[in-house]
Structures are given as structure tokens and as C-alpha cells.
Amino acid sequence: MLLGTVLVLLLFGGAGPASAHAALRSTDPADGAVLESAPRALTLTFTESVGLLDDSFRVFDPDNRRVRTGEPQHAADRSDTARVTLPAKLGRGTFTVAWRVVSADSHPVSGAFTFSVGEPTPTTAAVNAGPTEDPVTGNLYDTARYAAYLAAALLIGTAAFVLLCRPADTAPLRTPLRAGWWTLLASTVVLLVLRAPYEAGTGPAGALDPSALAHTLSTRPGLALTARLALLGPAAVLLIRARRRPPASATAGPALTTTGPAVVVAVGLALTWAAAEHASAGLQVPLAITSSVLHLLAMAVWLGGLTALLILLHRTTLPADAVARFSRVAFTAVTVLVVTGFYQSWRGLGSWSALTGTDYGRLLLAKLAGVTLLLTAASFSRSWTARPAAARAATGERVPVTAGGPPLPEREPEPETARGTEAVTVPASEAETASEAEAETASGAETGAAADGDTVRGLRRSVLAEVAVAAVVLMVTTALTGTTPGRAETEAADARASAPATGIATASVTLVPFDVGTPAVHGTVQVTLDPGRVGDNSVEAVVFGPDGGLSSVPELRLTFTLAGQKIGPLDTKVTDRGGYWAADAFNLPLPGTWTMKATVRVSDVDQVSETRQVRIER
């Protein structure tokens, strides 16, 4: 399986359409553009279709006052764009745009950029869209998502264990079935209620707004969560019917009237995840949704079945045949997981560099490490389950072997009166032979019991290790579904790098925080190079104080050094222009990553120097 992983990763180099989790492809005007006249609209283009919010755009003028805009909408019926109109008299200076949309896979994304009309001016509006989500809302939502995955695995996996492995005593499994059902119900309700504030990035109190729930029910994630709640009704009916039905024989197959509806409900529940997350957007959506459903069901059958097996090993006598059946079922589930996991990895990454260069790739590596540990533990479990069958094959015995649970009670001796009243005389030689046979049988039984005890203890330990590692893998999987796939992130970066410049020029803006070390003497220097390319550039620097407002300093010096070519330091010779520092012409002779050094003197004795890397293009 690990060799197969490497072979599939070799195919990652091919290019393809955008994958799920929207990433910003371009903005119009471009980030940092300086325009001769004010634009009439702002247009953002993403790597996939996005949903718009009432507050998708927030535009601030140079004085940090919010600009009135039109209603957010898609441009020319293109679902992968977001557009908003601007007032006719926008004014001059630098404007800050903060945006927030919901990607097709249900995850909110946000960002910010600036553009200038006429020429760049100092602005107190921070170039920051704020956190992607409110911390409290985000933590609650992520916890509910993890609980939903865990509950689905427990509910579907335990039910599959009962139907496919047919243990003689299913009474101990009623508790995990009920726990899985109620946990899935509660977590789904929490996700449905918190969906609106999660999209908007507001606190949990936003869920109290009646219009918030109405908006959620009109979206694809809301419809998927509603469908999940509806499917829990038939699931409850099936659980009640199964509880009332007498225990099935270990040799009889499960009733079709139970298996068929159970499969339908399980597939329906898996679809409520696949239709609202990564598989629902990007390339090959039908195949991706099918793969996602199979992946989730295989995960549930394996991990939920492990939990059921562990419970029965501790609480009842479990026939070895049931354990062997689960071993075969688990092997099939793992095979499905590997195949679908290969496809989803290729679809989400798309390149070798994304494996280590993106958060998605690094999380995928962590999941692969966890799955490797899980497969190692599973191999031990499989070896333990094979021992009783191997022992019976070696000896020719066909005596049923049990695993787990308390020992069976000893058989009481039969009363003398039950044997009849007539005495039977047995020859001494036959009696001696019978005694030797009974002794050999007793010795073999003691040896078999000891072997069975070792098998049960070993199986308990290996299954417990599988369950523990599986819980960690499930946690990483939950984080993975909320991370931008590497393919989308890489494609968006490439698109932005190759996008043509708009407006007069694209300025390079660098923020340099500084701290002199004394109380309340710190701030940020915003340095703008226009156009930020080889040749002559205009330089403008604005100093902001601790409160984010403009700050006046007695001296500011900016130098640039290209160490690889042994050039510099080159002094920009900026001068105080009354509120900001500037140089009309500063020549950067070569492209590359220059080291910019900002020296800020705040008094006669206090000054500090900070450096930042600035990329200069041709």
C-alpha cells in the first residue's frame, strides 16, 4: 500500500482545473494599482464558484471612513466572481478593500487589498480583513464537525458490524448505537444553528437572528445538514426494529429487509458530507462525490467496527468466526480507503511542491503517517485473529473457539441416579485406556484455553491501539476538510503572478514594524515603491504610531542592499514632506530580492533599525 502511494504521487505533476476551496485568482483594480481615474466597480475572480454575503465588501477611504457601495453580485452571471459598484465621486488617494465570500465547498474565505486614485496617500485603514472566523464560533463549529464525523463512524460502523459479522450477543452494542445517533443529531443541530455566524465571521450570538437560520436553509450546506437530520429519522426506526428482533443465528445471513434500508440510509448520510465539502467543487465533481462517499463509508465501517469489536471483546463471549469476518470486512474497507485516498490526494494536491509547500500538503503527510501507524496496528490485529484458525487447521480440530468475555461456567457433575441403577463392570485395561484419553483431552483443553487467553489479550491490545490512532487520524481529517487544497492554492498564486498589470503601475507596499524598547514608542513604517521594478522608482514612507494613526519622527532613513551581487547599501535619501517621507527618483539597477533597512529615530538618543526583504521584478 505504501509503494502504491509513492506510485500515485508520481502522477501529481499533471496540471488540471481548479480544485475545491476558493482561492483569489485576481482583483480589478489590481492590488496596489495606481489609477488615473476612479473605477466604477470592484471585481474579484476566484478559482471556483463562490457565494456572496450581505457584507461581502467593505471599502474604506484614505480617512478610514467606510464608502457606500452597491449590493454584492456576480459579474456577468459568472459564479466564480464577486462584484460591487462604487459611487461616482469616489475621491482621490489610497482605498482599502476588505472582502469575504463563501466557497462552493462551504468554507468562508476572506482577504484585503488596496488601490489608489491619482497617487498613493497615507491611510489609517489597516490592510487586514480580520480573522476568517470568530474564535469562539470557529472552535464550536470545528468541535461539532469532529463530533459529527465521530458519531457517523460509530453509528454506521457499529451497525455494519452487527449486519456483516453477526455476533451472537449484540446487547453490548446498543449503547454505542444510541450514543452515535444522539451525538450525530446534536452535532448536526449545532452546525445548522452556527452556520450563519460561521460564514459571516461573527460571534455565536449571531445565531439568534431569525433571518440567519432562514438564510442558512437556502444554502447548499444548510440543505445538506437538513437532509442529514431527516435521514436520522429512518435510522432511528431501523435501530428500534433491530432492538426488537431476536438475536440472529451466527450462521444465518442478515435479513434483507434490514440490510437494504440500512445501506440506503448510510449512503444518504455520507452524501450529506460529500455534497457540501471539497468533493462538491472543482474538477470531476461526480467522480469526486462518489469517491468521497466511498471513503467516508469505508472509514466508518473500519473505525466504527473496531470500536464495536473492542466493546464485545471486553463484555461478552465473541465467536472467533465473527472476529474472522470482521478481519475480512476491515481488509476490504482499508482497500477502499487506499484507492479513494489516492484519488483525493491527487485531486487536492496536483503537484509535488504542494505536498510540502502548502498547509493542505503538510496535513496530508501527517494523515499519511497516522494511517501508516494504523495499518501497522491492523496487521497485528489480523495476525491475532488468524491464530485460532491456524491452530485448528494444524490439529484437524473443528471445535468452535471463543474470544473475549468472562469464562464459561463449569458443567456440573451428572447425578448417580441419572445414570441408571444397574452397575456396569468395565475391564481394567479399558478403564486404564479411557483414563489416559481423558487426561490427554484435559491437557489439550488447558493448552488451548491458555492459547485462547493469549490471543484475546493480544487482540484487545492491538484493537485498542487501532482505535486510539484512528481517533487522531479522524481529527487530522477534520482539519484537512477545512483547509484550502494545494492545487487551488498553487493555481491562485500562479494566476496572480502571471496577471497583467492594470492601471498606471503596480506599487510594492512593505510594512516594517519597529519597537524602540521604551513604553509606547513603537509603530509601523509603510514603504511604497512605485512601480516596484528595475529602474527608477518613487519612494514614499509613512510612519504609524501605536494607535494606528500618523506619527511624526525627526529622522527616517531607507537603504537597499542586494548581497548576492554585492550592491549597496543604496540610500533612498527620503525627505520629510510634511506627514510622510518621500524620494521622487530612486534607481534599483537589478532584479532580485533586496534587503531594505529602515532606521527610525524617535528622539535625540532613541532609534532602531529593522530589515525586510523586498522582491524587485524586471
Side-chain angles (χ1 to χ4, degrees):
M1 291 176 182
L2 293 177
L3 178 60
T5 302
V6 174
L7 293 177
V8 170
L9 287 175
L10 291 176
L11 303 177
F12 278 173
S19 184
H21 217 94
L24 183 64
R25 186 194 299 270
S26 64
T27 65
D28 183 14
D31 185 14
V34 182
L35 310 175
E36 291 182 345
S37 59
R40 293 305 308 274
L42 302 174
T43 304
L44 278 62
T45 305
F46 297 89
T47 56
E48 66 170 48
S49 59
V50 295
L52 303 179
L53 305 171
D54 294 336
D55 203 27
S56 280
F57 286 93
R58 290 176 292 131
V59 182
F60 299 92
D61 66 13
D63 296 324
N64 203 19
R65 294 176 300 198
R66 185 163 180 178
V67 177
R68 287 184 174 274
T69 61
E71 293 293 328
Q73 57 186 352
H74 295 294
D77 297 327
R78 288 183 54 186
S79 60
D80 62 344
T81 62
R83 181 183 177 88
V84 66
T85 58
L86 298 173
K89 297 181 179 181
L90 188 61
R92 300 176 66 83
T94 301
F95 293 81
T96 303
V97 181
W99 55 267
R100 184 181 185 86
V101 296
V102 180
S103 58
D105 61 354
S106 79
H107 299 287
V109 289
S110 61
F113 67 97
T114 63
F115 68 92
S116 300
V117 179
E119 62 179 4
T121 56
T123 173
T124 57
V127 186
N128 186 359
T132 303
E133 58 193 25
D134 179 83
V136 177
T137 302
N139 289 335
L140 290 175
Y141 195 87
D142 290 341
T143 301
R145 288 175 63 240
Y146 179 74
Y149 275 116
L150 197 63
L154 191 61
L155 178 62
I156 296 174
T158 305
F161 186 92
V162 172
L163 293 174
L164 300 177
C165 302
R166 304 188 296 277
D169 184 9
T170 61
L173 299 182
R174 294 173 183 171
T175 298
L177 285 171
R178 287 195 298 265
W181 190 90
W182 281 107
T183 302
L184 187 56
L185 175 65
S187 59
T188 303
V189 170
V190 171
L191 290 172
L192 190 61
V193 171
L194 289 179
R195 182 66 203 176
Y198 174 71
E199 288 184 353
T202 59
L208 301 178
D209 185 358
S211 62
L213 184 58
H215 169 75
T216 298
L217 294 177
S218 66
T219 63
R220 181 164 55 180
L223 292 175
L225 292 171
T226 304
R228 190 180 304 170
L229 288 176
L231 286 169
L232 286 177
V237 173
L238 290 175
L239 292 179
I240 294 173
R241 288 176 57 187
R243 182 177 180 181
R244 292 177 178 175
R245 183 179 289 111
S249 169
T251 58
L256 292 178
T257 56
T258 301
T259 305
V263 171
V264 172
V265 171
V267 171
L269 288 174
L271 272 171
T272 63
W273 272 277
E277 293 193 348
H278 285 168
S280 63
L283 74 162
Q284 303 174 351
V285 170
L287 181 59
I289 289 181
T290 302
S291 174
S292 180
V293 168
L294 292 175
H295 196 80
L296 181 61
L297 290 176
M299 177 273 297
V301 169
W302 185 21
L303 304 189
L306 283 175
T307 305
L309 177 62
L310 187 62
I311 292 173
L312 292 180
L313 283 174
H314 282 274
R315 296 189 180 181
T316 187
T317 300
L318 185 63
D321 290 341
V323 179
R325 290 190 196 100
F326 176 71
S327 181
R328 293 190 291 271
V329 169
F331 181 80
T332 303
V334 169
T335 302
V336 174
L337 279 172
V338 170
V339 173
T340 56
F342 285 170
Y343 171 72
Q344 292 180 9
S345 298
W346 166 81
R347 185 174 183 267
L349 284 173
S351 67
W352 273 106
S353 59
L355 192 61
T356 56
T358 64
D359 291 338
Y360 185 90
R362 288 185 286 270
L363 278 174
L364 192 60
L365 288 175
K367 181 179 178 179
L368 180 60
V371 171
T372 302
L373 291 177
L374 200 55
L375 292 174
T376 302
S379 67
F380 283 103
S381 298
R382 190 170 176 83
S383 65
W384 284 114
T385 59
R387 291 193 179 189
R392 292 198 300 272
T395 60
E397 296 180 6
R398 301 190 59 83
V399 180
V401 181
T402 58
L408 295 174
E410 296 182 1
R411 187 173 181 179
E412 296 182 359
E414 192 174 345
E416 287 290 336
T417 55
R419 302 180 184 175
T421 56
E422 297 183 1
V424 179
T425 304
V426 179
S429 60
E430 296 183 9
E432 183 177 350
T433 302
S435 298
E436 293 176 356
E438 291 178 359
E440 291 178 359
T441 301
S443 175
E446 291 177 359
T447 303
D452 289 345
D454 292 339
T455 299
V456 171
R457 286 189 293 271
L459 186 58
R460 284 175 179 170
R461 288 193 296 267
S462 61
V463 172
L464 181 60
E466 282 188 78
V467 171
V469 177
V472 177
V473 171
L474 196 59
M475 187 178 299
V476 176
T477 301
T478 305
L480 199 61
T481 59
T483 305
T484 302
R487 183 190 292 268
E489 187 174 332
T490 302
E491 186 194 48
D494 293 342
R496 289 194 297 269
S498 60
T502 60
I504 295 176
T506 300
S508 168
V509 180
T510 306
L511 298 179
V512 185
F514 67 90
D515 190 345
V516 177
T518 56
V521 185
H522 58 87
T524 303
V525 181
Q526 177 179 295
V527 181
T528 302
L529 288 176
D530 187 7
R533 297 180 180 276
V534 171
D536 286 338
N537 288 261
S538 64
V539 183
E540 292 186 358
V542 183
V543 181
F544 297 101
D547 58 353
L550 294 177
S551 177
S552 177
V553 296
E555 184 180 356
L556 175 65
R557 186 185 180 193
L558 299 174
T559 61
F560 284 79
T561 303
L562 189 59
Q565 301 294 330
K566 298 182 180 180
I567 299 177
L570 305 179
D571 193 348
T572 61
K573 299 181 180 179
V574 292
T575 57
D576 190 354
R577 302 290 178 89
Y580 67 99
W581 297 71
D584 295 329
F586 172 66
N587 184 267
L588 290 168
L590 294 175
T593 301
W594 291 71
T595 299
M596 180 180 68
K597 181 179 179 181
T599 301
V600 184
R601 183 168 64 84
V602 297
S603 67
D604 292 338
V605 294
D606 295 321
Q607 74 175 31
V608 64
S609 296
E610 299 289 348
T611 60
R612 286 293 183 273
Q613 302 300 312
V614 179
R615 179 67 183 176
I616 302 299
E617 304 292 345
R618 288 190 179 274

